[in-house]
Amino acid sequence: MRGTRPVTCGIVPPSLGTSLTRIPCIDNVCISKNCTYMGERMRAFVTGATGYIGGSVADRMLRTGHQVTGLARSPEKARMLERLGVTPVLGTLDDQALLAEHAQAADAVVNAADSDHRGAVEALVEALAGSGKPLLHTSGSSIVGTDSRGEPSGEIFGEEIFDSESSWRPADDKEARVAIDRYVLAASSRKVRSVVLCNTLIYGHGRGLSRDSVQIPALARQAHKSGTVRRIGAGRNIWSNVHIDDVADLYLLALDAAPAGSFYFVENGEASFGDITAAIAEALGLGSAEAWDINAAIQEWGYEAAVFALGSNSRVRGERARAQLGWRPRHTSVLDWIKNELTKD
């Protein structure tokens, strides 16, 4: 580790021994139940640093004393990153040589820009091959989603679906994303400490340049525009969910000590879209949420968002982050957050 120095108390997850970095607690809140070691700084390269997840992870890293270099697509966004303390790199995910250069210069890489950009992932893996450095890749739990159109499902998926002996296969529309996830996991055989973090519905205000996540803000924007909160069909479809601050905590824990080839579902509870849209209606002071058929929803939000983000079921259980890394999410209710925090600046 280059340029490291102690910062504050850190984390050693159970049964993993000494790891690459020690991530400190902040805000007087310990993010692990195993907090006994001194911390070290690291230099991280973050794609998606101007986005919701990547920006929140970058902010979390900066506040714990680490150095962050972040990819930005425009000079304006680069200047905004710089004001936050992130060292900007001007470029895109298609600039494979640029990605490789900054991945090799960093102690760790977080890919949070685009779960479906295979070229960028391949460039990062090639650059890190043989280094033993961590590569965190961001996926999403729509990979287990189905075309439910607001109807419920009792099927719940565990992290074992990515184990080598699993027979699970995604829907056709998600095969390409799952292939990228598997490619990242397989990079562990090339001496990359590769990890896939598969986020569920994320709520909470972002800590970086981007304030809004995907699903709840899309529902709220439509409600503001039309004066009516809409759900797809009966709204009985259920998604697992997690708060953005807990997501950022887990990314740091994974950078510290996730074993190579690890797959984690990132979740802490679940709720139906009927309950979510009812809470949005209450928070915005509107009448009861109303049903939309799938065609009207596709016209408003597009096929991918309507079918896989808002109309599907995505019920998962993430046990490994808690057991392996000592992750302890602090936020427990998306419905409470909507009612109390959605409209706050």
Side-chain angles (χ1 to χ4, degrees):
M1 180 68 61
R2 296 166 298 209
T4 61
R5 69 173 180 84
V7 286
T8 184
C9 62
I11 297 161
V12 175
S15 305
L16 291 180
T18 302
S19 55
L20 178 65
T21 60
R22 298 292 166 224
I23 308 302
C25 307
I26 61 169
D27 299 337
N28 296 315
V29 177
C30 180
I31 61 173
S32 172
K33 60 186 177 183
N34 306 281
C35 190
T36 55
Y37 285 74
M38 295 300 288
E40 295 177 343
R41 288 192 179 188
M42 68 174 146
R43 298 188 296 182
F45 176 48
V46 179
T47 71
T50 62
Y52 176 70
I53 297 174
S56 297
V57 172
D59 172 78
R60 185 72 167 81
M61 296 189 74
L62 289 170
R63 290 192 294 127
T64 49
H66 301 299
Q67 299 173 2
V68 179
T69 298
L71 192 66
R73 287 179 291 183
S74 70
E76 179 186 8
K77 287 293 182 70
R79 288 190 292 270
M80 294 170 72
L81 282 181
E82 195 165 25
R83 287 196 289 270
L84 295 179
V86 175
T87 301
V89 174
L90 194 60
T92 72
L93 294 178
D94 295 320
D95 298 326
Q96 295 192 4
L98 182 72
L99 296 180
E101 174 189 350
H102 288 279
Q104 290 171 347
D107 299 314
V109 176
V110 176
N111 182 36
D114 186 343
S115 300
D116 302 306
H117 198 298
R118 187 172 182 113
V121 172
E122 290 177 346
L124 294 172
V125 168
E126 290 296 327
L128 296 178
S131 70
K133 294 177 182 178
L135 167 63
L136 305 190
H137 173 68
T138 302
S139 186
S141 70
S142 64
I143 60 171
V144 303
T146 57
D147 186 357
S148 303
R149 306 192 178 202
E151 291 302 313
S153 171
E155 192 168 18
I156 299 174
F157 298 87
E159 291 151 324
E160 68 278 359
I161 64 172
F162 272 83
D163 292 350
S164 58
E165 64 273 15
S166 172
S167 61
W168 172 80
R169 294 293 180 271
D172 291 347
D173 287 355
K174 293 299 174 180
E175 283 185 351
R177 176 177 291 187
V178 170
I180 292 173
D181 293 344
R182 288 180 171 142
Y183 174 79
V184 172
L185 297 176
S188 62
S189 67
R190 303 179 63 188
K191 296 184 179 179
V192 179
R193 189 155 67 82
S194 56
V195 178
V196 173
L197 291 160
C198 192
N199 297 301
T200 53
L201 181 154
I202 307 178
Y203 63 96
H205 299 313
R207 302 295 184 177
L209 297 180
S210 295
R211 180 178 183 269
D212 288 341
S213 59
V214 177
Q215 288 145 299
I216 291 173
L219 295 167
R221 283 192 297 270
Q222 189 285 137
H224 278 298
K225 181 173 67 173
S226 70
T228 302
V229 180
R230 304 283 188 178
R231 63 177 186 269
I232 295 175
R236 297 172 64 200
N237 56 310
I238 296 171
W239 266 64
S240 299
N241 55 70
V242 65
H243 193 281
I244 184 61
D245 290 347
D246 293 323
V247 171
D249 286 349
L250 181 53
Y251 272 68
L252 266 69
L253 287 165
L255 282 173
D256 180 57
S262 296
F263 175 89
Y264 300 105
F265 278 129
V266 187
E267 61 83 22
N268 191 42
E270 63 180 23
S272 74
F273 271 84
D275 288 340
I276 288 171
T277 52
I280 292 173
E282 180 180 337
L284 299 182
L286 299 175
S288 299
E290 298 181 5
W292 248 1
D293 66 41
I294 193 65
N295 293 325
I298 290 173
Q299 185 174 0
E300 172 68 25
W301 291 304
Y303 177 83
E304 172 73 18
V307 173
F308 284 102
L310 301 173
S312 66
N313 290 273
S314 180
R315 306 181 68 185
V316 302
R317 297 293 182 266
E319 303 296 337
R320 293 177 179 174
R322 293 166 170 84
Q324 294 178 0
L325 305 179
W327 182 52
R328 295 190 306 173
R330 291 172 278 137
H331 303 268
T332 59
S333 174
V334 63
L335 303 180
D336 286 348
W337 181 85
I338 292 170
K339 294 172 184 177
N340 299 320
E341 303 291 335
L342 176 64
T343 60
K344 290 186 177 179
D345 293 332

